[in-house]
Amino acid sequence: MTRSPSVSVLLAVLAAGPAIAPARAEAGITRAERALIRRVNDVRGDHGLSPLRASSALNRAADSHSRDMLRHDFFDHTSSDGTPFDSRIRRYADARMVGENLAAIGRRHGGGRAVMRMWMQSPVHRAVLLSPDYRRIGIGRRWGTLGTSHQAVVTADFASRR
């Protein structure tokens, strides 16, 4: 799927239902991913919400999806094998509610600040970021080619306490 070199964001979505136990090996979190989590928590704090706790399980879920999108050259919440986002996230984290925000951004568009600005300007993404139901977050940011552009693909996975 070809995208313009401008910043691309896909709608965020929410889901509730039964959870599935975690799976897969530990994925490390990068400095940029930690910085984006701090930005999310700063915005939540500005709105009187408690901070989200970084979750290694959700980091693995988000990282796996970002890699999948780059490997198979697509940009969507549904995985390349057709798995819906909520089922995919619940393979990693036990949660009543899960949500996901996606972004694809080129190197010259401002990184994490630009991603947060876009998410906050989108009513659906903003609702996910500012939901009091979420307690945990995982970020997966990977660089690669999406369509014909070299971009960072960012997946942010959110989950309730349980």
Side-chain angles (χ1 to χ4, degrees):
M1 165 183 306
T2 303
R3 297 279 180 213
S4 71
S6 64
V7 178
S8 300
V9 176
L10 191 65
L11 291 178
V13 287
L14 306 170
I20 300 171
R24 298 195 65 137
E26 181 76 17
I29 185 167
T30 67
R31 181 181 306 165
E33 292 163 346
R34 277 192 295 276
L36 189 51
I37 292 171
R38 279 192 302 275
R39 288 184 194 284
V40 167
N41 283 331
D42 288 347
V43 168
R44 287 177 62 87
D46 291 346
H47 290 85
L49 296 167
S50 55
L52 300 174
R53 182 176 51 86
S55 162
S56 59
L58 291 173
N59 287 336
R60 289 190 307 270
D63 183 67
S64 175
H65 191 57
S66 290
R67 287 177 186 260
D68 182 43
M69 288 189 287
L70 288 170
R71 186 177 302 118
H72 294 99
D73 196 22
F74 75 100
F75 189 74
D76 197 347
H77 292 283
T78 301
S79 299
S80 63
D81 66 1
T83 302
F85 86 96
D86 56 324
S87 296
R88 173 179 32 82
I89 295 170
R90 287 187 177 106
R91 287 181 186 155
Y92 296 85
D94 180 23
R96 180 180 50 82
M97 287 186 63
V98 297
E100 182 169 84
N101 283 354
L102 301 178
I105 185 167
R107 215 176 272 284
R108 296 180 189 171
H109 292 286
R113 257 183 226 145
V115 168
M116 282 301 299
R117 190 170 41 255
M118 290 182 327
W119 284 346
M120 289 302 290
Q121 290 173 354
S122 161
V124 177
H125 292 92
R126 182 183 175 96
V128 172
L129 290 170
L130 299 180
S131 171
D133 296 322
Y134 296 130
R135 296 287 187 258
R136 299 175 285 160
I137 187 172
I139 302 284
R141 187 195 101 191
R142 295 289 161 204
W143 283 94
T145 302
L146 193 59
T148 59
S149 300
H150 189 71
Q151 299 185 44
V153 173
V154 179
T155 301
D157 286 337
F158 301 82
S160 58
R161 189 178 321 272
R162 290 284 173 236

